[in-house]
């Protein structure tokens, strides 16, 4: 039998609470070796794993990010808090964006804010993103509950024994369409960002 709305909502809230961003106060205040970085990420984002054997971050991944200029080089093989913050951003972005698009998004942040001793820095950027993401989670929950209810009301004329399957299919399709639209908007925003950066470069060259 299909899960009722109340049960779905309660399960959803519990699940979303486990997969939130790493809280700023939970970030390490000391520089870490690579093994410590991967262990920290694996422990803090364990709830994000689909399968128990999945790895949040590996040495190979970190090295590839550095080779692709997504991550500034470590200092004497140690990674700062800002390195960890950039890795968190990369982790979330890599699930929906290409390496080139992630470069377009993160390189300006690295150039303007990474390692800054005065003024705003990467941690300030992270704290602001963390704040708005926490606020947005409540809206996401309401939207998902609404979509779930719509999905449960589909295929009313189909055989009773097929409806649970079709309701799940309907819900998956609705979420997939939502992701598809948002991915298109993200890509258009990145293209606009690239245009801005190109104009700034041309202005600086002149």
């Amino acid at each position: 039998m299909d899960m009722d709305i109340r049960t779905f909502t309660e399960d959803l809230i519990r699940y979303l609470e486990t997969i939130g961003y790493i809280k700023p106060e939970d970030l390490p205040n000391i520089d870490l070796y690579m093994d410590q970085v991967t262990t920290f990420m694996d422990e803090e984002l364990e709830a994000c794993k689909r399968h128990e054997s999945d790895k949040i971050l590996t040495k190979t991944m970190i090295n590839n990010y550095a080779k692709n200029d997504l991550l500034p080089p470590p200092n004497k093989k140690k990674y700062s808090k800002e390195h960890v913050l950039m890795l968190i951003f990369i982790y979330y972005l890599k699930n929906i964006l290409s390496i080139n698009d992630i470069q377009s998004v993160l390189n300006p942040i690295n150039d303007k804010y990474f390692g800054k001793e005065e003024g705003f820095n990467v941690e300030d950027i992270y704290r602001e993103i963390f704040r708005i993401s926490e606020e947005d989670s409540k809206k996401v929950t309401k939207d998902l509950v609404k979509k779930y209810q719509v999905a449960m009301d589909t295929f009313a004329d189909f055989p009773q024994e097929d409806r649970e399957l079709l309701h799940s299919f309907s819900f998956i399709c609705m979420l997939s369409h939502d992701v598809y639209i948002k991915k298109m908007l993200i890509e258009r925003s990145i293209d606009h960002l690239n245009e801005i950066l190109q104009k700034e470069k041309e202005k600086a060259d002149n």
Side-chain angles (χ1 to χ4, degrees):
M1 181 179 292
D2 292 325
M3 192 186 306
D4 62 57
I5 301 300
R6 181 178 177 180
T7 303
F8 173 79
T9 304
E10 292 172 349
D11 287 350
L12 176 64
I13 291 172
R14 281 195 294 268
Y15 178 66
L16 290 179
E17 286 175 347
T18 67
I19 63 171
Y21 280 91
I22 296 174
K23 295 179 180 179
E25 57 267 27
D26 292 336
L27 291 161
N29 286 314
I30 59 172
D31 292 349
L32 304 175
Y33 287 106
M34 186 180 287
D35 284 341
Q36 294 173 308
V37 173
T38 56
T39 298
F40 172 79
M41 294 285 284
D42 208 54
E43 290 176 350
E44 292 295 323
L45 296 175
E46 184 178 6
C48 296
K49 295 180 181 180
R50 184 176 182 183
H51 306 291
E52 190 175 343
S53 60
D54 291 345
K55 294 292 183 182
I56 296 296
L57 201 63
T58 66
K59 295 179 182 179
T60 301
M61 290 178 189
I62 295 176
N63 287 329
N64 284 338
Y65 299 151
K67 288 178 183 177
N68 285 284
D69 296 324
L70 293 178
L71 190 70
N75 181 22
K76 297 179 181 179
K77 297 185 178 181
K78 282 192 171 183
Y79 296 83
S80 66
K81 178 188 288 188
E82 289 187 307
H83 281 106
V84 175
L85 292 172
M86 296 310 297
L87 285 169
I88 295 171
F89 283 132
I90 292 170
Y91 171 76
Y92 287 107
L93 292 172
K94 75 182 180 68
N95 288 290
I96 54 173
L97 297 179
S98 67
I99 290 294
N100 287 339
D101 280 344
I102 297 175
Q103 285 176 332
S104 296
V105 172
L106 293 185
N107 282 0
I109 302 300
N110 279 326
D111 293 342
K112 293 177 183 292
Y113 297 102
F114 193 95
K116 298 297 182 183
E117 296 182 359
E118 297 181 0
F120 296 112
N121 57 28
V122 170
E123 184 173 352
D124 295 316
I125 299 289
Y126 182 87
R127 286 183 178 277
E128 183 68 3
I129 297 300
F130 178 82
R131 181 186 67 78
I132 63 175
S133 295
E134 277 203 314
E135 292 176 0
D136 191 55
S137 291
K138 298 175 183 177
K139 298 177 184 177
V140 170
T141 301
K142 291 181 180 178
D143 181 61
L144 289 174
V145 170
K146 183 178 179 180
K147 282 183 169 60
Y148 183 80
Q149 182 142 24
V150 171
M152 294 306 102
D153 291 337
T154 58
F155 300 105
D157 296 332
F158 279 66
Q160 179 68 40
E161 63 270 19
D162 295 339
R163 287 181 199 165
E164 185 170 3
L165 167 66
L166 293 170
H167 289 165
S168 294
F169 178 70
S170 179
F171 188 54
I172 290 168
C173 286
M174 291 179 69
L175 294 180
S176 298
H177 180 261
D178 188 57
V179 172
Y180 171 72
I181 295 296
K182 288 178 180 176
K183 186 172 185 292
M184 289 181 65
L185 291 173
I186 292 170
E187 290 171 347
R188 285 180 66 87
S189 297
I190 291 172
D191 291 341
H192 180 62
L193 173 63
N194 285 333
E195 290 174 5
I196 294 173
L197 294 173
Q198 182 60 32
K199 288 178 181 178
E200 288 182 355
K201 182 177 182 302
E202 291 173 356
K203 185 177 180 179
D205 290 343
N206 293 331

